[in-house]
Amino acid sequence: MMSKHLLTAGAFGLCLVINSAMAAPSPQFNLTKIFKTVTDGAKAAKDISESDEIVLGQEVAANLLSLGPLLENQEVQSYVNKVGRWVSLHSERPDLPWTFVVLDLSDATAFAAPGGYIVITKGLLLKLNSEAELAGVLGHEASHVVRKHHLSAIKKANTTAFLKTLGDTALDASGKDNRRNRAFLEIASLGAALYGVGLDKDSEFEADRMGVVLATRAGYDSFGLPAVLQTLQGSKGSEVNSLVSTHPPTSDRLNQLDRVMGSNFDRFDALPTVEDRFLKIKELITAKKK
């Protein structure tokens, strides 16, 4: 991509401190109770209020954070939060407690948890080439939250079977002698179930489409996300397996985007990719490795 004009400083007038609640699951939330009071998965998802969705997201995000350590660079963390918050403010759910966290992992992947909690890895950041690409990735993950894709995945599951799966997975993960809080185990199992196998392809295609729209609304080059997909399509090795294996084939995603974008985004051709600022942040990540 050609380098374009930088975004105005006003786009970065937002600052977010990483929510400490992510590391401290709320003892007031009981997923078992919510599911057991309804007769099927569809009603279960419908009955989850936004406040409960946020707490559920905190629980799941806390579990995701156990995958690896936080990247120990506050400038990088703040930068990703600023970009993510700016993009998410252009969504249909701007008032969620949007929180973006970078994990110090080489695997190239990203996750979204209900309620507005987004995790991206150092490995994926290093594969990106511009702020527009980052905006596209974060827009994709934010779209999962906006459209409640993870809650819909719960809704499609048979409630009784789903709860049994949660219990079995909890025992397998923790061991029979571990007596941690039951609700937290169920949330951890929920995370394993949803993030281990991924969402259905329609949810991923929708998140791609919406991710492009959110990044464009935020003032970025519309083709940031397609550029990332092209990079991933050409990447080989275990570092991208975790992302590719839980998503539809990258070629299918690119074809879907090409079909829906067509020439409709040509009028946004002058929007910036913001390469210079992103590359400075990228240098901070690589410098830590030396």
Side-chain angles (χ1 to χ4, degrees), residues 8 35 53 143 153 173 205-206 211 221 257 263 277:
T8 62
F35 282 113
E53 178 192 354
S143 296
F205 290 149
E206 183 176 37
D221 181 276
L257 281 179
S263 60
R277 183 163 54 211

Side-chain angles (χ1 to χ4, degrees), residues 202 204-214 256-257 260:
D202 289 336
E204 295 296 349
F205 290 149
E206 183 176 37
D208 283 342
R209 296 192 299 270
M210 288 188 62
V212 167
V213 170
L214 292 186
Q256 286 278 336
L257 281 179
V260 298

Side-chain angles (χ1 to χ4, degrees), residues 85-274:
R85 287 280 289 172
W86 179 245
V87 171
S88 63
L89 282 175
H90 290 81
S91 75
E92 286 70 27
R93 305 184 72 187
D95 296 327
L96 288 175
W98 293 98
T99 306
F100 300 81
V101 176
V102 182
L103 292 186
D104 193 357
L105 293 175
S106 297
D107 287 355
T109 192
F111 303 101
Y117 302 96
I118 311 294
V119 177
I120 186 171
T121 63
K122 173 186 71 177
L124 183 52
L125 283 177
L126 291 177
K127 286 192 171 295
L128 306 182
N129 298 298
S130 71
E131 196 169 293
E133 292 187 10
L134 175 60
V137 169
L138 298 182
H140 171 97
E141 298 302 333
S143 296
H144 282 313
V145 176
V146 172
R147 298 297 296 166
K148 301 183 180 181
H149 286 154
H150 296 97
L151 297 182
S152 294
I154 297 172
K155 178 176 65 177
K156 292 177 182 177
N158 176 275
T159 306
T160 302
F162 193 74
L163 284 172
K164 183 179 186 301
T165 300
L166 290 178
D168 292 344
T169 307
L171 285 177
D172 291 341
S174 64
K176 294 182 179 180
D177 295 331
N178 193 321
R179 303 302 179 186
R180 290 184 297 170
N181 180 271
R182 176 70 179 180
F184 179 80
L185 283 176
E186 289 173 351
I187 294 297
S189 301
L190 171 62
L194 292 182
Y195 299 96
V197 300
L199 296 165
D200 62 72
K201 66 178 182 179
D202 289 336
S203 294
E204 295 296 349
F205 290 149
E206 183 176 37
D208 283 342
R209 296 192 299 270
M210 288 188 62
V212 167
V213 170
L214 292 186
T216 305
R217 285 179 185 171
Y220 292 100
D221 181 276
S222 305
F223 293 89
L225 181 58
V228 175
L229 294 178
Q230 289 176 336
T231 298
L232 294 177
Q233 188 176 38
S235 297
K236 296 181 180 180
S238 59
E239 73 275 4
V240 298
N241 286 346
S242 58
L243 180 61
V244 174
S245 64
T246 57
H247 287 70
T250 307
S251 58
D252 291 352
R253 297 174 67 186
L254 283 168
N255 288 336
Q256 286 278 336
L257 281 179
D258 183 59
R259 187 176 301 116
V260 298
M261 292 177 72
S263 60
N264 296 324
F265 286 80
D266 288 351
R267 65 184 184 277
F268 302 114
D269 185 60
L271 293 178
T273 58
V274 195

Side-chain angles (χ1 to χ4, degrees), residues 12-42:
F12 290 92
L14 301 168
C15 185
L16 179 68
V17 177
I18 295 175
N19 192 342
S20 60
M22 293 179 67
S26 169
Q28 298 178 344
F29 185 78
N30 191 324
L31 184 63
T32 307
K33 182 177 180 181
I34 287 178
F35 282 113
K36 285 185 175 179
T37 57
V38 298
T39 57
D40 57 55

